[in-house]
Amino acid sequence: MKKISIIGAGSFGTAMAMVLGGKKYSVTIWAREKDVVEGINANKFNPSYLTDVKLPDSIKATNSLEVALKDSDMVVFATPSHALREVAENVKPFLKGNEIVVSVAKGIEKDSLMAPSQILVDVLSETVLEDQIGVLTGPSHAEEVALLKPTTVVSAAYSTRVARIIQETFMTSRFRVYLNNDIIGVEIGGAVKNIMAIAAGIVDGAGLGDNAKAALMTRGLHEMKRMGAVLGASMDTFSGLTGMGDMIVTCTSQHSRNRFVGYNIGQGKSLKEITSGMNMVAEGVKTAESVCQWAKKNNVEMPITNAVYKVLFENIPPSDVVEDLMTRNPKEEKMI
């Protein structure tokens, strides 16, 4: 890689720039905001996200997609999943077609019910081959990645060759990348765990206890597997970094935006009140709507996902959905 373009200057885009810039790559970050571009170029600090992290000198920023993508070898989409389609459509005219394209988003698009890599394949189909598209995902809070705390993630793509290129490009002594050939499985894990993190936050905020949280995470993993089984994912994937690993960190960490949303709902605040005060996106909110839609369409039982949807979009009190979950008909514990 000679030049890498990062589309999006939020917390994770900034963290990825930190990792790649540390390897002496020429990194250009695209941002909409003029003050973010000026802050990065003049001071090597992002004034809006991870504001205390000094970026390497090899990193520059621009609000021109044409400039950001000129002569790029790899394009990293670091935008929320619900905005990915629009951003990719804007990026498409400036691609040559030989770039490696990487998504770091985690979610499922509403209505199309596509994962991030599928959105990119759909939008870029006439320009970039499917085999050139991949993802980087796993338990990786931007706040810790940017501070170079040890982090381990997964690279997956539609071709093993591209997955290896992504692995080699991002791998450092503080950012370890494993290879996984189950791209749909790793993306399901990354999406569903955000829904479970909202639920875990509600458990914490409402003071429901550790027993409840352990049960929630375990049964949440079952829902992840059920979705994966229908979509042809490998069940082993959900025991790995992008399943259980990402679930653990997102459901327990103070850095988790999704857990933050859930915690405040458990404390009695409304979703509108919570999100209006956030400058970062909690992917699990929109993903809960998408996955609930998918589950109904495919007749897959996902009770926790459905409960989170009811709390977020139907204003059902958390105490009511907990009662509903706990009083369902007795069942056997099954792995899927």
Side-chain angles (χ1 to χ4, degrees), residues 39 87 115 134 137 146 188 215 269 277 307:
V87 174
T137 184
I188 292 167
K269 295 181 181 178

Side-chain angles (χ1 to χ4, degrees), residues 129-332:
L129 293 174
E130 177 181 282
D131 280 359
Q132 292 164 235
I133 294 172
V135 301
L136 191 73
T137 184
S140 50
H141 286 305
E143 294 85 352
E144 295 187 359
V145 173
L147 294 174
L148 306 182
K149 293 188 176 182
T151 300
T152 307
V153 297
V154 164
S155 160
Y158 290 96
S159 79
T160 302
R161 179 187 70 86
V162 166
R164 290 195 184 282
I165 290 172
I166 297 169
Q167 179 185 43
E168 293 164 3
T169 300
F170 283 87
M171 179 87 87
T172 75
S173 63
R174 291 285 172 167
F175 196 76
R176 182 170 178 80
V177 185
Y178 281 91
L179 200 68
N180 190 309
N181 61 9
D182 179 21
I183 189 167
I184 187 61
V186 303
E187 290 194 285
I188 292 167
V192 175
K193 61 90 184 178
N194 281 333
I195 303 170
M196 300 308 152
I198 293 175
I202 292 172
V203 168
D204 288 339
L208 300 179
D210 294 338
N211 294 346
K213 191 169 181 179
L216 165 73
M217 293 169 66
T218 305
R219 298 307 301 176
L221 192 61
H222 283 246
E223 295 193 16
M224 193 184 286
K225 288 181 175 181
R226 287 183 191 140
M227 186 174 184
V230 172
L231 294 174
S234 167
M235 293 301 99
D236 286 344
T237 297
F238 304 114
S239 298
L241 289 164
T242 61
M244 181 175 63
D246 217 351
M247 177 92 76
I248 291 169
V249 76
T250 314
C251 288
T252 63
S253 175
Q254 297 294 323
H255 296 307
S256 171
R257 287 166 268 178
N258 295 288
R259 182 187 170 279
F260 174 85
V261 169
Y263 183 88
N264 281 278
I265 287 173
Q267 292 274 297
K269 295 181 181 178
S270 70
L271 178 62
K272 183 177 181 181
E273 182 183 0
I274 298 161
T275 55
S276 64
M278 296 175 67
N279 71 332
M280 295 186 287
V281 175
E283 291 265 37
V285 174
K286 292 184 181 295
T287 300
E289 192 172 11
S290 302
V291 174
C292 196
Q293 181 184 354
W294 178 91
K296 289 178 181 177
K297 179 180 178 181
N298 291 278
N299 197 29
V300 176
E301 188 179 18
M302 299 182 75
I304 299 173
T305 298
N306 189 49
V308 171
Y309 175 86
K310 287 180 177 179
V311 170
L312 294 178
F313 298 104
E314 296 179 359
N315 298 316
I316 306 297
S319 58
D320 288 0
V321 298
V322 170
E323 180 73 12
D324 289 343
L325 287 170
M326 292 297 291
T327 57
R328 291 183 305 135
N329 291 335
K331 297 177 181 291
E332 291 182 24

Side-chain angles (χ1 to χ4, degrees), residues 48-63:
S48 298
Y49 301 93
L50 307 182
T51 56
D52 58 344
V53 174
K54 184 168 182 165
L55 296 167
D57 291 339
S58 59
I59 295 169
K60 58 186 177 181
T62 178
N63 52 23

Side-chain angles (χ1 to χ4, degrees), residues 80-116:
S81 58
H82 66 267
L84 183 57
R85 182 175 294 274
E86 178 187 354
V87 174
E89 286 171 348
N90 292 334
V91 163
K92 184 177 180 178
F94 303 108
L95 296 177
K96 304 184 298 294
N98 62 345
E99 300 91 345
I100 300 296
V101 176
V102 185
S103 167
V104 296
K106 298 176 180 179
I108 301 292
E109 186 178 42
K110 188 180 176 184
D111 297 329
S112 78
L113 305 180
M114 290 182 179

